[in-house]
Amino acid sequence: MIHKATDKLLHEKEEELKKTIQSLQIENDQKKQNKIKRDLIIQNARKKYCQFQKPVFYGSMSNPLIGHHSFDNDNADQIVTQLNMKQQQKRNYSQQRKKTPDNEIHLKSLANQLDLKYLLLDNNYFTNLLNICTQFRKMLSIERNPPIDKVIDSGAVAHFVKILDIKNILQNVNIPSTDCHILEKLNDFVYFRSDLKPNISLNQIYNLQFEATWALTNIGSGSSAHTNFVVTSGAVPYLIELIKSSNKDLCEQAIWALGNIMGDCATMRNYVLNEGVMKVMIEDTWKIAKLHMSTSRNFTWTLSNGLRGKPIPDWELVKDSYPLLCELVYSLDEEVLTDCCWALSYMADMPEGLSLIANNKKLLEKLMELCQHVQPSICTPTLRTIGNVATGNEMETQALLDVGVLKVLDYCMTAPKKGIRKEAAWTISNITAGNLFQIRQVLDSECAWVFSNALSGGKIEDARRIVNDYDIIKGFSRCLSARKDVKVLTIALEGIENIFKAYAPLQDEGNEEYYALQEKMEENEIPDLLEQLQRHKDDNIYTLASNILTNYFVVEEEEEEVEENTKPKGGFTFGSGDGAFKF
């Protein structure tokens, strides 16, 4: 609510303002007096030093050193050494000053001038304040090694944060009556006009806040320590308030700053989410963002960072973003689509999000379309999304099969980009973790023959790619468990045999990679499953399983107990072998 300024309150505020201005003037006068005193001391010292009755020269004539008239010969060497040291110090300082850029000198002095109270001293000080903010922002925008630590050490960050809060600015300035609508959004704030305060428009305030926000954005894009400093300085609540701003540039810059903070780590992400950023973005910011493409891109990127990272965020803090992502997935802008698909992949990594996506047939159909997008930057996160959905229960996996995911994966398995092929194979592997009917659907599709054809060529490069990148051995292990389905068993057994055939040259060389393959097979219980299949009623399955065990695994034969054949005492033996007679 807006408090109405009564006469008594106005009088109190006016008196408080006068005291502030008076103290500032005293402080300013004191600084001027101190400067005058310092200049006088330096001037007197120079006069005293230069009053020579009879100058004495030391050193060579080419580089004479002037000494005081009272110096005697005994301490001449000591004085010359001292003077040489002073000259060297001056030279070093001069060289250091030349190497240091002008915009990095006197940062603390510049930071002190960011104090908003100086607006009361001079009606034109606002221009100076804006210029200093801009100077800091440009300094932090240097591509290589921006002086973030130096800016932090100067104390400028605290002033930037104060500028973010418009209440701090309105305490020191007057705004036109046409801009007073901004006051309706400020709770528990008493605004009053005074002849002692300068007149500033709302757009000028927005420009100042924009520069301060940009500076904080650049600091937050540094190391984790830099990001943490921005957060601990109290910037986040004010940045969240600024993303409600009707000023497009200021709103977009605040979104960018929050995206940098949430993208740093899960701890920073959770802190910003707990401050309620998601609700504000969806209810307020999106109304502005959807009108401007650049703002939409920053908005979607920041939204994605709010869902990204492990451990996953609290579902209650991010669940409201799901309907908006279902809207953004139809965007025609590639950058928005890319960040939207990544956001959906992060959401599909959460149990609640996975369930929502799997039960949205319209969304799944759109994802099938995006999996075949010409841009890998869109195809990859979309595949990751459906791959995460495929890790769900049988009903959620079946939802993918019902919208034709296998045809899409077949297309992706032949993509030129290795990353896309890998994502597609990972998704197929997840589907084969389902029930027997779902496994059969995979093997009846073209996807199964992609692996089969690649392995049947006998090339070690293809076998390595399939074993290491696609983790096909785990899929074969699941297939071998389907003992009643002869077709599934046949494809799996032939695939295992083809892998070993491709790796055969490594066995001859005694390469450790071959033994690593055997270990991977054992980790997935392939030998045990093969032994069980030797009792299968289908002769072809029995033969394949037996050959693989015999040729590629060490089979431990059971030792038969043989009774020692000894002649009985006091008896005779007729015949031989099992048919012998004993008397």
Side-chain angles (χ1 to χ4, degrees):
M1 61 179 292
I2 306 171
H3 294 282
K4 187 177 180 180
T6 61
D7 292 339
K8 183 180 179 182
L9 186 60
L10 277 175
H11 178 72
E12 291 176 357
K13 290 289 183 181
E14 195 79 13
E15 289 299 320
E16 184 180 343
L17 204 60
K18 287 179 180 178
K19 289 180 181 178
T20 303
I21 293 173
Q22 187 178 3
S23 63
L24 285 172
Q25 289 174 341
I26 293 172
E27 181 184 339
N28 201 32
D29 292 341
Q30 188 67 38
K31 287 181 179 179
K32 289 180 180 178
Q33 290 176 7
N34 290 340
K35 187 177 183 306
I36 292 170
K37 288 180 181 179
R38 186 168 64 253
D39 291 343
L40 285 173
I41 291 171
I42 294 171
Q43 189 177 0
N44 291 333
R46 285 175 177 170
K47 285 181 179 179
K48 187 176 179 181
Y49 183 80
C50 294
Q51 288 174 355
F52 300 109
Q53 292 181 0
K54 192 176 181 181
V56 180
F57 292 89
Y58 300 97
S60 65
M61 292 302 295
S62 62
N63 186 22
L65 298 175
I66 302 177
H68 196 273
H69 71 280
S70 62
F71 297 161
D72 54 26
N73 293 330
D74 295 335
N75 61 0
D77 293 339
Q78 182 180 355
I79 299 303
V80 170
T81 302
Q82 291 177 354
L83 289 172
N84 279 330
M85 288 177 63
K86 287 182 180 179
Q87 286 187 343
Q88 185 62 40
Q89 288 173 356
K90 288 180 180 179
R91 282 195 295 270
N92 291 342
Y93 175 76
S94 177
Q95 291 173 1
Q96 185 177 1
R97 185 179 177 86
K98 288 178 182 178
K99 290 180 181 179
T100 306
D102 292 338
N103 59 359
E104 293 183 24
I105 298 172
H106 308 309
L107 288 183
K108 289 186 179 180
S109 175
L110 281 176
N112 290 335
Q113 296 177 53
L114 289 171
D115 199 325
L116 293 171
K117 65 185 179 181
Y118 291 127
L119 289 168
L120 299 171
L121 281 178
D122 185 357
N123 287 339
N124 298 320
Y125 192 80
F126 186 88
T127 303
N128 184 50
L129 187 63
L130 181 60
N131 289 337
I132 294 172
C133 252
T134 305
Q135 188 174 346
F136 271 108
R137 185 262 296 171
K138 289 181 178 180
M139 201 182 303
L140 292 164
S141 298
I142 299 172
E143 289 187 10
R144 292 187 178 182
N145 302 319
I148 297 178
D149 289 319
K150 292 180 180 179
V151 173
I152 289 175
D153 293 339
S154 73
V157 174
H159 293 295
F160 293 147
V161 173
K162 287 181 179 179
I163 291 172
L164 298 187
D165 187 2
I166 196 170
K167 296 177 183 178
N168 291 330
I169 301 175
L170 292 176
Q171 286 176 351
N172 300 288
V173 301
N174 296 321
I175 57 173
S177 56
T178 53
D179 291 338
C180 285
H181 60 86
I182 190 67
L183 301 174
E184 297 175 1
K185 301 179 181 179
L186 305 179
N187 296 325
D188 301 322
F189 175 70
V190 178
Y191 168 77
F192 68 99
R193 297 181 62 83
S194 172
D195 294 336
L196 300 173
K197 299 194 293 185
N199 297 318
I200 303 296
S201 70
L202 192 57
N203 282 334
Q204 287 177 297
I205 294 175
Y206 286 155
N207 289 338
L208 180 64
Q209 289 183 308
F210 172 75
E211 292 293 343
T213 305
W214 195 344
L216 289 172
T217 303
N218 290 344
I219 294 172
S221 66
S223 65
S224 293
H226 298 148
T227 307
N228 185 64
F229 190 86
V230 173
V231 172
T232 54
S233 297
V236 171
Y238 300 121
L239 289 170
I240 293 176
E241 195 65 29
L242 288 179
I243 65 175
K244 301 178 186 178
S245 175
S246 58
N247 183 279
K248 176 253 180 186
D249 292 332
L250 181 57
C251 174
E252 183 176 341
Q253 195 61 53
I255 292 171
W256 194 342
L258 289 169
N260 277 347
I261 294 171
M262 287 198 289
D264 181 73
C265 64
T267 303
M268 294 291 104
R269 179 205 65 198
N270 291 341
Y271 174 77
V272 178
L273 289 175
N274 282 313
E275 288 291 317
V277 68
M278 198 63 74
K279 182 179 180 181
V280 176
M281 286 181 67
I282 294 166
E283 293 181 0
D284 297 291
T285 314
W286 179 237
K287 297 175 184 177
I288 304 166
K290 65 183 178 181
L291 301 176
H292 308 280
M293 185 54 67
S294 61
T295 314
S296 295
R297 290 170 178 172
N298 275 318
F299 177 91
T300 313
W301 172 73
T302 299
L303 191 68
S304 174
N305 278 353
L307 299 168
R308 184 170 65 89
K310 296 291 182 72
I312 60 175
D314 183 355
W315 173 249
E316 291 299 318
L317 296 175
V318 299
K319 65 180 182 180
D320 292 336
S321 63
Y322 172 72
L324 186 53
L325 289 173
C326 291
E327 179 182 343
L328 288 168
V329 80
Y330 290 93
S331 173
L332 299 178
D333 183 73
E334 291 182 359
E335 287 187 35
V336 172
L337 262 181
T338 298
D339 288 321
C340 175
C341 291
W342 277 117
L344 284 170
S345 74
Y346 305 143
M347 184 166 280
D349 214 13
M350 309 173 199
E352 301 89 346
L354 188 155
S355 179
L356 284 173
I357 295 171
N359 288 287
N360 189 336
K361 185 178 180 180
K362 186 178 179 182
L363 176 60
L364 289 179
E365 289 173 345
K366 182 61 180 178
L367 292 175
M368 296 304 112
E369 177 188 327
L370 293 176
C371 280
Q372 303 171 76
H373 200 281
V374 293
Q375 290 295 336
S377 60
I378 294 173
C379 184
T380 301
T382 309
L383 277 169
R384 180 71 58 84
T385 303
I386 65 171
N388 284 338
V389 173
T391 63
N393 58 40
E394 291 181 3
M395 292 181 63
E396 290 160 347
T397 302
Q398 189 60 44
L400 290 173
L401 293 168
D402 292 342
V403 294
V405 69
L406 292 176
K407 290 183 179 179
V408 173
L409 293 174
D410 173 45
Y411 171 83
C412 294
M413 285 292 291
T414 58
K417 293 285 184 180
K418 178 182 176 181
I420 293 175
R421 297 197 304 269
K422 186 174 181 180
E423 291 285 347
W426 173 68
T427 303
I428 293 169
S429 177
N430 288 338
I431 294 173
T432 58
N435 56 42
L436 182 59
F437 174 73
Q438 291 169 345
I439 295 173
R440 185 62 184 262
Q441 282 184 277
V442 173
L443 295 176
D444 284 341
S445 71
E446 294 295 325
C447 297
W449 302 112
V450 173
F451 291 115
S452 179
N453 292 337
L455 289 170
S456 62
K459 293 182 179 180
I460 183 63
E461 295 80 10
D462 293 335
R464 276 197 186 113
R465 174 166 54 85
I466 292 171
V467 170
N468 298 325
D469 293 349
Y470 302 154
D471 200 14
I472 193 63
I473 294 176
K474 186 181 291 185
F476 284 153
S477 177
R478 292 167 182 158
C479 292
L480 293 182
S481 301
R483 300 175 192 173
K484 295 182 180 180
D485 197 309
V486 175
K487 180 177 180 180
V488 171
L489 291 172
T490 302
I491 292 175
L493 289 169
E494 287 177 349
I496 293 171
E497 187 174 30
N498 285 334
I499 289 174
F500 275 115
K501 286 179 179 178
Y503 271 75
L506 299 180
Q507 182 186 21
D508 299 336
E509 299 171 4
N511 194 305
E512 292 183 0
E513 191 175 351
Y514 180 84
Y515 302 108
L517 172 67
Q518 284 185 321
E519 289 180 7
K520 197 164 188 175
M521 293 279 188
E522 290 172 1
E523 288 173 2
N524 288 277
E525 301 179 345
I526 298 294
D528 295 337
L529 292 168
L530 291 173
E531 286 184 8
Q532 295 171 17
L533 290 174
Q534 287 186 111
R535 295 188 288 273
H536 199 278
K537 62 182 180 180
D538 186 272
D539 292 341
N540 186 45
I541 298 299
Y542 162 77
T543 302
L544 283 170
S546 180
N547 288 341
I548 294 170
L549 269 176
T550 304
N551 296 330
Y552 305 111
F553 292 98
V554 178
V555 180
E556 296 180 359
E557 298 181 357
E558 295 181 1
E559 295 182 1
E560 296 181 0
E561 293 183 1
V562 181
E563 293 183 1
E564 184 179 358
N565 186 17
T566 58
K567 291 181 181 181
K569 291 181 181 179
F572 299 93
T573 303
F574 293 90
S576 62
D578 295 337
F581 297 96
K582 299 177 183 178
F583 296 94

